[in-house]
Amino acid sequence: MGIVAGSLVDPCSTRITKTGAWRTFVPVVDHDQCIKCSLCEIYCPEGCIHQENGNFVPDLDYCKGCSVCANECPRMAITMVLEEK
Amino acid sequence: MSENTLNMKVVEGSYAVAHAVMRCRPDVISAYPITPQTHIVENLSQMVADGELDSEFLTVDSEFSALSVLVGASAAGGRCYSSTTSQGLALMYEVLYNVSGMRLPIVMNVANRAVGAPLNIWNDQQDAVGARDVGWLQIYVEDVQEAVDTTLQAYKIAEDPEIKMPVMVCMDGYILTHVYEPVQLLDEQLCDQFLPPFRPADVLDPDHPKTFGAFADPSTYMEFRYKQFEAQHKSLDVIEKVARQFEQTFGRYYGGLLDSYQMDDAEVVIVTMGSVIGTIKDAIDAMRAEGKKVGLLKVRSYRPFPVQALRKALKNAAVIAVLEKDVAIGGEAGLVTDLKAAFYNSSIKTPIIGFTAGLGGRDITIKDIRKIVERAEAARKGIESEFEFLDLRTEIL
């Protein structure tokens, strides 16, 4: 892929540019503890937690591991786990 | 009396520059007034209010906003203009990088002024020289006519599809912005012929959406910087080409990258930029009459720094003295450091000494120039002091 001066790109370039590699800790959700309040989805600064088949799941292509979801969860259902790659 | 002389008008430097900007037909002007730049934008504001200039004139809350407005306007395809100085340029710093990184061909006159603290509103060039690495081209002018002519040239250089880089036209505050001198104001038809309307290939357009200045991760960021680096070096030829085209249209030429005075047989060469050149030329005339072989090399384009042209122009000098109105606190000063770097790997082993002078508006006199030449002559036998503050008042230190 060639680059264009002025870093001009077509819209929606973040769909191509994945930023999850910055993460050190990964959120792990205990779905049995989860009461589906959706606070994690609301507070996620990247907007990358969504419901899939009823469960809240972080999109690891974009999750930076910031821990906001884990801190906001009233049920302490999200644990930040050191991710080794 | 030539046709050119007949058309001359005695006007203030700031008016002359504002008039040149009007001739460039900018779509958007955004600026925040700051001494000694104020008269330039005051005049432009008046021209817009009087209907002489059809342009959006945006008054904003700061220099940061002034240039940020132009980022959007330029990306939307407008020809954009601003002007600032000193603390105002400092406040723009973040946006300077955004403009050059997004490759927006904005032109700005910098009315060079000292930077505080201590507070000082007079002329030196610390403001622009301090911003030498932000990606903008920087051309330093000697007099009002050159400021006028270079403002027009700047758009042609900036908007060249191969370049797409912003340009600062640096003119000494007060000395050039507030002086009244005879100037040939630019002819409307000739300007339109010289500078066609701005039609960039890429613009912000809702029908064909694009992102300007998008995120670049470590895998591409360096390549964007390389492209800017490359464009600056390519602009060396464009600056020269545009100066020659200007000569063909308007009959005036200042040297593209460099200009010289009494250089043919010069042994002692003073290298400098800006309005102090007038004083140096007078000093050289006096010294030449005494048989001293002194010459002057004017650096017009400081960014890009014309390494090859400098090597060629200075190859026969016996000693070089760099005089500049800036200081790199902790190092020496911008121009002398760059010049030494340009020569280090060349065959030229001429002694180079540097002087910072005229900071905060202190006059640089013919006596000072003579002192520099004396120091340079002494340096031919061996450098005693590589860099010094000229005319330093040691009694108050």
Side-chain angles (χ1 to χ4, degrees):
Chain A
M1 184 195 74
I3 60 166
V4 181
S7 52
L8 279 174
V9 289
D10 289 332
C12 308
S13 63
T14 42
R15 283 190 187 153
I16 310 160
T17 313
K18 314 283 191 210
T19 49
W22 306 357
R23 188 176 54 238
T24 304
F25 292 92
V26 64
V28 176
V29 186
D30 180 346
H31 298 300
D32 294 336
Q33 288 291 314
C34 177
I35 55 168
K36 319 291 189 239
C37 68
S38 81
L39 281 179
C40 56
E41 183 180 24
I42 292 165
Y43 277 98
C44 174
E46 282 287 357
C48 69
I49 300 188
H50 301 292
Q51 247 178 326
E52 278 175 27
N53 304 321
N55 291 330
F56 284 91
V57 184
D59 181 345
L60 296 183
D61 280 344
Y62 300 100
C63 170
K64 311 286 187 298
C66 72
S67 310
V68 167
C69 55
N71 277 295
E72 294 301 331
C73 178
R75 296 284 292 168
M76 313 252 269
I78 303 175
T79 317
M80 300 305 294
V81 179
L82 183 66
E83 189 178 33
E84 298 191 32
K85 290 169 197 162
Chain B
M1 200 179 270
S2 76
E3 180 74 18
N4 286 354
T5 322
L6 279 172
N7 288 334
M8 280 189 153
K9 276 194 174 160
V10 177
V11 292
E12 194 197 33
S14 292
Y15 174 82
V17 166
H19 185 275
V21 172
M22 175 174 74
R23 286 288 181 256
C24 297
R25 301 187 186 279
D27 299 295
V28 182
I29 301 167
S30 183
Y32 190 83
I34 176 169
T35 299
Q37 154 267 33
T38 310
H39 291 183
I40 297 176
V41 289
E42 224 169 55
N43 276 301
L44 284 166
S45 164
Q46 188 75 51
M47 288 165 182
V48 172
D50 291 347
E52 271 186 279
L53 169 59
D54 180 17
S55 190
E56 281 291 329
F57 189 101
L58 285 118
T59 50
V60 287
D61 65 342
S62 70
E63 286 83 0
F64 184 93
S65 301
L67 195 55
S68 296
V69 160
L70 298 187
V71 168
S74 182
R79 180 174 285 157
C80 295
Y81 177 81
S82 192
S83 179
T84 192
T85 176
S86 180
Q87 319 294 132
L89 186 67
L91 189 53
M92 279 182 183
Y93 212 79
E94 178 181 339
V95 197
L96 293 176
Y97 273 100
N98 282 331
V99 170
S100 66
M102 289 188 217
R103 308 294 295 272
L104 303 170
I106 295 170
V107 170
M108 179 158 75
N109 284 102
V110 177
N112 294 116
R113 173 188 135 179
V115 184
L119 176 62
N120 179 298
I121 59 164
W122 290 272
N123 162 247
D124 67 34
Q125 295 169 344
Q126 292 181 81
D127 52 359
V129 173
R132 66 182 178 171
D133 297 332
V134 299
W136 287 55
L137 277 65
Q138 291 192 347
I139 300 177
Y140 288 75
V141 302
E142 176 183 343
D143 57 27
V144 174
Q145 187 70 61
E146 191 184 356
V148 164
D149 297 351
T150 305
T151 301
L152 176 65
Q153 291 175 27
Y155 276 106
K156 205 171 173 72
I157 298 162
E159 292 172 4
D160 186 303
E162 289 292 304
I163 306 301
K164 296 206 292 182
M165 291 287 265
V167 180
M168 286 183 207
V169 178
C170 303
M171 60 191 293
D172 285 324
Y174 288 114
I175 299 170
L176 298 183
T177 54
H178 285 55
V179 71
Y180 277 74
E181 62 182 24
V183 181
Q184 193 174 13
L185 297 173
L186 298 176
D187 176 78
E188 191 171 355
Q189 277 188 324
L190 288 181
C191 286
D192 288 344
Q193 188 188 316
F194 182 79
L195 183 70
F198 180 44
R199 296 275 181 267
D202 294 295
V203 291
L204 287 178
D205 173 5
D207 293 331
H208 304 94
K210 277 201 184 302
T211 301
F212 273 66
F215 166 83
D217 69 13
S219 73
T220 54
Y221 182 89
M222 258 180 90
E223 283 68 23
F224 285 112
R225 275 290 175 270
Y226 177 76
K227 275 191 171 279
Q228 283 177 267
F229 185 84
E230 196 185 34
Q232 276 261 358
H233 287 282
K234 274 188 195 166
S235 71
L236 288 165
D237 290 340
V238 177
I239 292 168
E240 186 64 47
K241 188 182 79 186
V242 168
R244 288 295 180 194
Q245 286 171 343
F246 184 88
E247 185 186 21
Q248 280 164 17
T249 313
F250 294 90
R252 291 186 295 275
Y253 178 71
Y254 304 91
L257 304 166
L258 305 169
D259 198 10
S260 61
Y261 185 70
Q262 297 281 17
M263 280 292 287
D264 288 348
D265 60 344
E267 290 171 5
V268 178
V269 178
I270 302 171
V271 179
T272 193
M273 359 188 237
S275 64
V276 70
I277 283 162
T279 309
I280 299 176
K281 282 177 177 169
D282 282 350
I284 288 178
D285 288 347
M287 287 184 281
R288 283 270 169 182
E290 296 157 13
K292 288 190 179 126
K293 291 183 174 174
V294 185
L296 164 78
L297 191 70
K298 156 178 152 184
V299 175
R300 193 163 175 264
S301 166
Y302 180 51
R303 282 294 176 275
F305 196 61
V307 172
Q308 297 305 331
L310 281 160
R311 285 179 182 174
K312 198 175 156 200
L314 290 167
K315 67 177 190 299
N316 295 324
V319 61
I320 297 163
V322 180
L323 170 63
E324 57 195 302
K325 294 180 181 176
D326 64 275
V327 62
I329 303 165
E332 290 182 339
L335 186 57
V336 70
T337 307
D338 286 334
L339 192 68
K340 285 190 208 174
F343 279 19
Y344 189 80
N345 286 329
S346 78
S347 56
I348 305 163
K349 299 297 169 218
T350 314
I352 301 176
I353 53 172
F355 297 89
T356 186
L359 297 188
R362 185 169 301 178
D363 284 339
I364 301 174
T365 62
I366 289 182
K367 215 172 104 191
D368 293 326
I369 307 301
R370 283 181 174 276
K371 199 192 271 179
I372 288 170
V373 172
E374 276 167 33
R375 291 272 208 290
E377 274 168 348
R380 290 171 76 165
K381 297 175 200 89
I383 296 173
E384 267 183 37
S385 163
E386 224 178 317
F387 183 77
E388 69 175 275
F389 277 60
L390 191 72
D391 191 25
L392 200 61
R393 293 183 59 201
T394 48
E395 76 277 13
I396 60 168
L397 287 174

